[in-house]
């Protein structure tokens, strides 16, 4: 489905809630644990004895569309006023898009593609940038996993339980870290309740089936009104899938030819059958998965603020597609990953609504994460251990005329260790503290926005005596980032905006300290302890317009990098694996996203509409050539027919060939897929039940994403018939 100008409405939790004449603002932004406790205790006398009541049209449990659409962030902003391309998936659009991974869930969003390292370990790629340049958050706090170090590691977020997913770029992304150069993906749920339901118990449930992987999924949540402003929350989910079905051969024609040629040569490794590898077709081996989650939370919500806490457990066992050997001497493994995370989240908020301070918000997250890369016999080959915590304090200024702002601090701590025969990283620790501010000013048709962030990062490598290959020492970085922009409403419904930013990013521990074989990616990865800070200057221009029955948005961006950090294949083989080396050079990224919709006809309760998007990224690294894994031009268009009870939609997505490739990278052919979808809301004024039937990749096309490390070994899913039921009571 195309997510054009369907954005967050006032029914979301960060919007102001009116109750008994009080203005209560509830947001998703953050905290530091100790300060949260002190603040909550000191603020307790300000809380009302009873929780505020809510208008059904303006609470988190019964969203209603309104004309004043906003995007939640540290400062709620009217969608039309954002200075960069921003998208929000929610409601039925999100339900239709849901996949086991956050990357595939967002893959049809403008400017977004996915890393596609199998159906479970697929991260979002924003405007060609991924990994350390994209922050994946849960309710404004990092996912606290190890998905950034390697593409085979799944992000510990659960789209099945998301209320909405935001993709933020531009000045607001600076609030979440200097590593958000590419943008921020924020998955928002209700594990810490932020509103009191009108009914004694609010229930949500989702069940789905996907034919391509025989995927069975079930998720549910309950919010219980305990009285006196207290709300109890519980949720859980289960998702299980078999090996994914594909529309053709696993290997590209060139690799199949290599494998067949190798099958005619003397083979020193009898466990590898090259002819069999060339013949893999119809099903992608080693991609089955099973994931379950459970969580409980509680919150007190009063007229003067709120306080809450939640505990969650995430458990997943999944395989990643095999990088089949096609030449003599290559390694071939079928790794599976067993992943677990236990996490505690807390938040507190006080809303004094004074003449200087309007709101103080704190959020904290702590997680104990581990995953094991399993050999084919089930034994543990390599173990990953990560303990991390992150906290945020945000002070929102009282609005004076057209001026408002938010200032705050953030810290993050990560202790990371890799143990086993294929440990490609030493034990390491990262400490980070940041200070930020964002200021907005409106004056008539003009709106201005400016932000700044300072961040200090220390990364320590602590190998043991048996690991002489690793760097032993510490690196520290001070990063300064700034942004500024403005927008001008030059005609009713039409606005033009420009934003400029200068950002700095400290290299991550894995970019600095890696030096060893990694079974999950089937690569020998080498970092560089001498890496310098990465710097970027970005300019983006955006045009938005709307009128009776139509809307249009066009965004154009250009980024110049100094000391751009990239990983490139050297062509060497070590331990039977291709070698990938971290390097730095200047680079340039530019591109555009254009999207729009129009109502073609209205007849009775039915509306016929059309929409389209096109996006493109061009990237070059000085002295190297085209940047690796850059998605090509994409065009997507659809027709929809809707009524209060029905939504019918058909769309065609065409992704052009990518022939502009990095050294040692192969071209990727074009593909075109057709998708159909029908949603029925059978009963009730509130339409609490929706049933969706969708056919994705209807013609079983052999499609490969150029952004994937495994695109020559693992195509996308073939024809996938999906049935989804969602109930919200």
């Amino acid at each position: 489905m195309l997510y054009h100008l369907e954005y967050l409405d006032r029914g979301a939790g960060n919007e102001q809630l009116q109750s008994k004449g009080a203005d209560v603002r509830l947001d998703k932004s953050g905290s530091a644990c100790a300060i949260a406790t002190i603040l909550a205790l000191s603020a307790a006398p300000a809380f009302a004895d009873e929780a505020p009541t809510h208008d059904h049209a303006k609470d988190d449990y019964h969203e209603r569309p309104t004309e004043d659409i906003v995007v939640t962030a540290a400062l709620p902003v009217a969608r039309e006023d954002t200075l960069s391309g921003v998208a929000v998936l929610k409601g039925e659009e999100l339900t239709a898009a849901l996949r086991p991974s956050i990357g595939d869930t967002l893959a049809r969003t403008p400017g977004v593609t996915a890393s596609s390292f199998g159906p479970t370990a697929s991260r979002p790629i924003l405007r060609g940038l991924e990994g350390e340049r994209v922050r994946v958050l849960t309710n404004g706090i990092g996912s606290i996993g190890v998905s950034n170090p390697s593409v085979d590691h799944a992000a510990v977020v659960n789209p099945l339980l998301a209320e909405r997913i935001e993709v933020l770029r531009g000045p607001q992304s600076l609030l979440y870290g200097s590593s958000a150069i590419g943008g921020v993906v924020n998955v928002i749920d209700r594990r810490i309740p932020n509103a009191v339901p009108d009914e004694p118990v609010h229930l949500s449930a989702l069940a789905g089936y996907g034919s391509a992987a025989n995927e069975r999924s079930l998720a549910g949540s309950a919010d219980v009104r305990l009285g006196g402003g207290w709300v109890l929350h519980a949720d859980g989910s289960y998702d299980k899938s078999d090996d994914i079905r594909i529309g053709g051969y696993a290997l590209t024609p060139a690799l199949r030819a290599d494998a067949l040629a190798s099958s005619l040569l003397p083979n020193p490794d009898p466990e590898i059958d090259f002819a069999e590898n060339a013949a893999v077709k119809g099903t992608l081996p080693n991609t089955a998965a099973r994931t379950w989650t459970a969580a409980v939370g509680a919150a007190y919500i009063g007229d003067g603020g709120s306080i809450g806490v939640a505990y969650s457990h995430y458990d997943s066992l999944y395989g990643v597609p095999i990088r089949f050997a096609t030449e003599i001497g290559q390694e071939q493994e079928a790794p599976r990953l067993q992943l677990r995370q236990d996490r505690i989240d807390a938040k507190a908020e006080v809303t004094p609504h004074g003449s200087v301070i309007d709101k103080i918000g704190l959020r904290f997250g702590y997680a104990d994460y581990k995953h094991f890369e399993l050999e084919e016999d089930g034994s543990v080959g390599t173990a990953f251990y990560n303990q991390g915590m992150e906290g945020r304090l945000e002070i929102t200024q009282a609005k004076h005329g057209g001026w408002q702002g938010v200032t705050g601090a953030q810290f993050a701590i990560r202790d990371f260790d890799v143990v086993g025969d294929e440990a490609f990283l030493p034990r390491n620790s990262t400490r980070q503290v940041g200070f930020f501010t964002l200021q907005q000013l409106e004056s008539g048709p003009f709106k201005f926005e400016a932000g700044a962030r300072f961040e200090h990062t220390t990364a320590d490598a602590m190998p043991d005596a048996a690991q002489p290959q690793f760097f032993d020492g510490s690196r520290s970085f001070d990063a300064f980032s700034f942004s500024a922009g403005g927008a001008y409403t030059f005609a009713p419904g039409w606005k033009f905006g420009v934003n400029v930013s200068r950002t700095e990013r400290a290299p991550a521990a894995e970019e600095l300290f890696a030096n060893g074989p990694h079974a999950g990616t089937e690569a020998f990865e080498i970092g560089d302890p001498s890496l310098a800070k990465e710097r970027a200057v970005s300019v983006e221009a955006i045009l938005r317009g709307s009128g009776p029955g139509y809307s249009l948005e066009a965004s154009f961006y250009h980024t110049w990098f100094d000391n751009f950090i990239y990983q490139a294949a050297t062509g060497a083989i070590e331990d039977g694996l291709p070698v990938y080396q971290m390097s730095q050079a200047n680079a340039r990224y530019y591109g555009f996203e254009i999207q729009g919709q129009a109502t073609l006809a209205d007849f009775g309760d039915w509306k016929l509409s059309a929409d389209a998007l096109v996006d493109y990224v061009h990237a070059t690294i000085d002295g190297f050539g085209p940047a690796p894994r850059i998605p090509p031009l994409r065009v997507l268009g659809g027709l929809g027919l809707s009524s209060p009870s029905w939504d019918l939609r058909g769309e065609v997505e065409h992704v052009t060939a990518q022939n502009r490739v990095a050294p040692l990278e192969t071209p990727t052919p074009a593909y075109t897929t057709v998708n159909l979808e029908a949603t029925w809301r059978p009963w009730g004024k509130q339409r609490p039940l929706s049933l969706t039937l969708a056919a994705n990749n209807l013609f079983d096309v052999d499609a490969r994403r150029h952004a994937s490390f495994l695109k020559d070994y693992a195509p996308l899913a073939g024809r996938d018939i999906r049935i989804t039921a969602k109930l919200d009571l």
Side-chain angles (χ1 to χ4, degrees), residues 336-472:
R336 291 178 299 143
L337 281 75
Q338 186 174 36
L339 182 161
R340 295 190 183 96
Q341 184 195 69
D342 290 287
R343 176 170 174 141
I344 296 173
D345 285 277
K347 77 170 184 179
E349 184 176 287
V350 175
T351 53
H353 300 311
S355 60
V356 177
I357 296 176
D358 181 66
K359 178 176 62 177
I360 302 173
L362 303 103
R363 180 171 269 283
F364 172 80
Y366 166 82
D368 183 6
Y369 169 101
K370 59 178 69 72
H371 87 243
F372 306 103
E373 297 189 351
L374 307 178
E375 305 290 350
E376 293 187 47
D377 62 1
S379 62
V380 176
T382 307
F384 290 71
Y385 300 95
N386 185 76
Q387 286 188 330
M389 64 178 68
E390 183 175 331
R392 296 175 60 84
L393 163 68
E394 291 180 351
I395 301 173
T396 303
Q397 302 154 209
K399 191 169 184 178
H400 292 279
W403 177 35
Q404 63 177 338
V406 60
T407 300
Q410 178 179 4
F411 77 90
I413 299 172
R414 186 185 79 162
D415 294 316
F416 185 29
D417 196 12
V418 186
V419 180
D421 295 336
E422 295 184 329
F424 68 100
L425 277 170
R427 184 166 64 93
N428 62 84
S429 178
T430 301
R431 302 289 187 269
Q432 191 173 82
V433 62
F435 303 91
F436 56 83
T437 187
L438 178 73
Q439 302 294 317
Q440 296 176 348
L441 176 65
E442 291 188 60
S443 178
F446 294 96
K447 177 172 182 176
F448 304 97
E449 190 168 273
R453 183 182 183 91
F454 166 76
E455 195 169 84
H456 176 76
T457 303
T458 300
D460 297 302
M462 299 166 285
D464 59 38
Q467 298 175 313
Q469 75 273 25
F470 291 124
F471 173 82
D472 186 353

Side-chain angles (χ1 to χ4, degrees), residues 241-304:
S241 58
D242 300 334
D243 288 341
I244 198 166
R245 196 180 64 79
I246 55 179
Y249 288 96
L251 297 179
T252 60
L255 288 180
R256 284 168 44 220
D258 290 343
L260 289 172
S262 297
S263 69
L264 304 176
L265 301 174
N267 184 5
D269 188 349
E271 293 185 2
I272 297 178
D273 188 331
F274 292 102
E276 183 178 291
N277 287 351
V280 173
K281 183 181 182 181
T283 300
L284 198 58
N286 203 51
T287 53
R290 182 270 303 148
T291 300
W292 68 271
T293 70
V296 293
Y300 174 81
I301 302 164
D303 287 332

Side-chain angles (χ1 to χ4, degrees), residues 187-234:
V187 180
I188 299 170
D189 58 40
R190 283 202 301 260
R191 280 183 169 164
I192 299 180
N194 55 17
V196 178
D198 291 332
E199 52 278 312
V201 179
H202 180 87
L203 298 174
S204 296
L206 182 143
Y209 174 80
S211 66
N214 191 28
E215 178 191 340
R216 296 84 78 194
S217 60
L218 181 66
S221 69
D223 293 88
V224 181
R225 189 179 68 199
L226 300 178
W230 288 94
V231 183
L232 180 67
H233 172 90

